[in-house]
Amino acid sequence: MARRVLLWVGDEAVHEAAGRVLHSVMDAQRAEELMRSYGEQLIERGRQQGREEGREEGLSRGRAEYILRTLALRGVHADEAARERILGCTDVATLDRWFERSLNATTLSEVLDDLAQ
């Protein structure tokens, strides 16, 4: 239970206060073990979050590169601004829509312009 409370506590000052409370109610060795365990869990949580963000970024980047390759194969020139827009996009739905459009596009505007207008 105490470990769950420590994991929930994100503020450093509150974390330090929680550590002092632990030291006052249990022996120093057990409190240190609990705090070390807490630290290890925080590190692992950070690693997991980093892996997930990296995976999402990699998927977006891959989709963007496929769009650019498809446009190039179709003879559609993407200027630097368009390349940056495509490569900078992280919304998977938008990238998927652009990719589908790129399969038949003859101009860049057919891919990037909002067709709902």
Side-chain angles (χ1 to χ4, degrees), residues 13-78:
V14 175
H15 172 68
E16 288 177 21
R20 286 192 298 275
V21 170
L22 282 176
H23 282 287
S24 71
V25 296
M26 60 179 56
D27 67 74
Q29 181 180 355
R30 179 67 184 127
E32 284 301 316
E33 289 172 4
L34 187 60
M35 296 302 284
R36 188 173 21 261
S37 175
Y38 165 72
E40 290 167 356
Q41 289 180 16
L42 283 179
I43 290 168
E44 183 54 36
R45 186 189 312 170
R47 284 184 183 142
Q48 181 64 30
Q49 184 178 2
R51 283 191 293 267
E52 289 172 11
E53 290 172 2
R55 189 173 17 253
E56 289 173 15
E57 185 177 313
L59 289 172
S60 294
R61 178 73 181 201
R63 282 181 165 95
E65 289 174 356
Y66 278 124
I67 293 166
L68 293 171
R69 288 175 59 194
T70 302
L71 290 171
L73 289 171
R74 296 196 48 75
V76 177
H77 173 71

